[in-house]
């Protein structure tokens, strides 16, 4: 299957710290989305960033996109225990990619 | 934003029976739908690409006779797991893409299949 790559695969931080996850993809895109998935649950759409955008904010989330490096990052500021989940990126364009995911654990 | 639904959200069946999962785009027409399978604590694995009015394209290693896909309309695709076995137990997720080839991929909430 075609997938993007995310790193780190797993991340464990203390509550209040910031969490940064990265996503790399392979071809040109029209947009990139970040999703969250709690254990055993469905995907929840977090944020979409278009190829002509470099940065986007939504609450405690900050997403950057570097199309020259074919990469994106998701920053969660002031993390909370409830942010514990897996985070995936997905891209849309000539081809569709779904990332391998980062498992985030926020320790209270 | 665009909404994709799946039905049922959860199904438990006996080994040997067939199970049908529906994927619907609720407020847009989808020429292409994707079916994914997710194993516990793993990422999504693309199973097949479903195009309206034509046969699905299956990824390598996915049995097309086992996982029957029908994309009969621009808002509905179905995945039928035939003669299900316990190893077919998994989380199945669909996604849909709108009429424009540059449209975003919208994901459904998933269906949890448990085969006893």
């Amino acid at each position: 299957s075609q997938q993007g790559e995310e790193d780190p695969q797993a991340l464990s931080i203390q509550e209040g710290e910031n969490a940064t996850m990265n996503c790399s993809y392979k071809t040109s895109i029209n947009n990139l989305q970040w999703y969250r998935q709690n254990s055993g649950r469905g995907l929840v759409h977090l944020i979409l960033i278009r190829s002509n955008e470099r940065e986007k904010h939504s609450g405690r989330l900050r997403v950057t996109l570097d199309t020259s490096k074919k990469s994106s990052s998701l920053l969660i500021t002031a993390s909370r225990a409830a942010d514990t989940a897996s985070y995936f990126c997905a891209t849309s364009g000539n081809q569709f990619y779904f990332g391998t995911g980062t498992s985030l654990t926020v320790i209270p | 934003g665009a909404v994709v639904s799946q039905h049922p959200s959860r199904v438990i069946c006996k080994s040997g029976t067939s199970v049908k999962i529906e994927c619907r785009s609720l407020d847009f027409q989808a020429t292409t739908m994707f079916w994914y399978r997710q194993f516990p604590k793993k990422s999504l694995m693309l199973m097949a690409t479903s195009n309206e009015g034509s046969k699905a394209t299956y990824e390598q290693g996915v049995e097309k006779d086992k996982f029957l896909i029908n994309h009969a309309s621009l808002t509905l695709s179905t995945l039928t797991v035939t003669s299900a076995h316990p190893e077919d137990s998994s989380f199945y997720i669909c996604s849909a893409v709108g009429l424009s080839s540059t449209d975003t991929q919208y994901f459904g909430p998933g269906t949890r299949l448990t085969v006893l």
Side-chain angles (χ1 to χ4, degrees):
Chain A
S1 60
Q2 300 162 330
Q3 289 191 335
E5 303 249 337
E6 291 179 10
D7 74 274
Q9 288 188 333
L11 179 61
S12 184
I13 59 174
Q14 294 288 331
E15 200 166 33
E17 293 180 337
N18 295 341
T20 300
M21 290 158 271
N22 302 297
C23 166
S24 60
Y25 53 91
K26 298 177 181 177
T27 67
S28 61
I29 64 171
N30 293 311
N31 62 63
L32 184 145
Q33 300 172 82
W34 283 91
Y35 289 86
R36 168 199 167 117
Q37 185 181 36
N38 286 74
S39 180
R41 307 295 291 273
L43 292 164
V44 174
H45 183 261
L46 294 177
I47 197 166
L48 180 151
I49 185 166
R50 301 201 179 278
S51 60
N52 60 353
E53 298 175 310
R54 292 296 168 259
E55 188 171 310
K56 204 161 183 179
H57 297 254
S58 177
R60 293 184 295 113
L61 305 180
R62 174 178 164 243
V63 169
T64 63
L65 179 64
D66 187 335
T67 52
S68 65
K69 295 181 180 178
K70 293 186 169 55
S71 68
S72 173
S73 68
L74 170 67
L75 168 68
I76 303 174
T77 60
S79 65
R80 305 167 182 167
D83 294 329
T84 295
S86 291
Y87 293 83
F88 297 92
C89 67
T91 61
S92 292
N94 291 329
Q95 292 178 304
F96 297 97
Y97 287 103
F98 200 85
T100 52
T102 294
S103 176
L104 173 66
T105 301
V106 181
I107 304 167
Chain B
V3 178
V4 175
S5 70
Q6 282 184 238
H7 178 79
S9 59
R10 223 175 254 275
V11 57
I12 301 173
C13 69
K14 292 182 179 179
S15 188
T17 60
S18 294
V19 175
K20 180 184 284 187
I21 302 169
E22 292 184 349
C23 177
R24 291 182 187 273
S25 55
L26 297 184
D27 52 359
F28 67 101
Q29 292 183 318
T31 51
T32 303
M33 289 185 173
F34 300 92
W35 285 97
Y36 295 85
R37 180 174 179 174
Q38 186 180 33
F39 293 98
K41 300 188 178 182
K42 298 289 185 183
S43 183
L44 275 61
M45 179 192 78
L46 180 64
M47 297 175 66
T49 302
S50 168
N51 294 299
E52 187 266 337
S54 63
K55 290 184 179 180
T57 302
Y58 290 82
E59 294 296 304
Q60 192 172 6
V62 178
E63 299 175 61
K64 60 181 180 181
D65 295 328
K66 172 77 173 174
F67 299 99
L68 299 177
I69 291 173
N70 187 313
H71 193 155
S73 76
L74 285 172
T75 59
L76 173 65
S77 176
T78 60
L79 168 68
T80 301
V81 183
T82 63
S83 187
H85 291 283
E87 57 265 31
D88 298 325
S89 297
S90 195
F91 197 53
Y92 293 88
I93 300 176
C94 72
S95 70
V97 180
L99 290 176
S100 167
S101 62
T102 62
D103 271 1
T104 298
Q105 188 178 182
Y106 296 97
F107 287 85
T111 296
R112 170 80 54 199
L113 170 64
T114 303
V115 184
L116 303 176

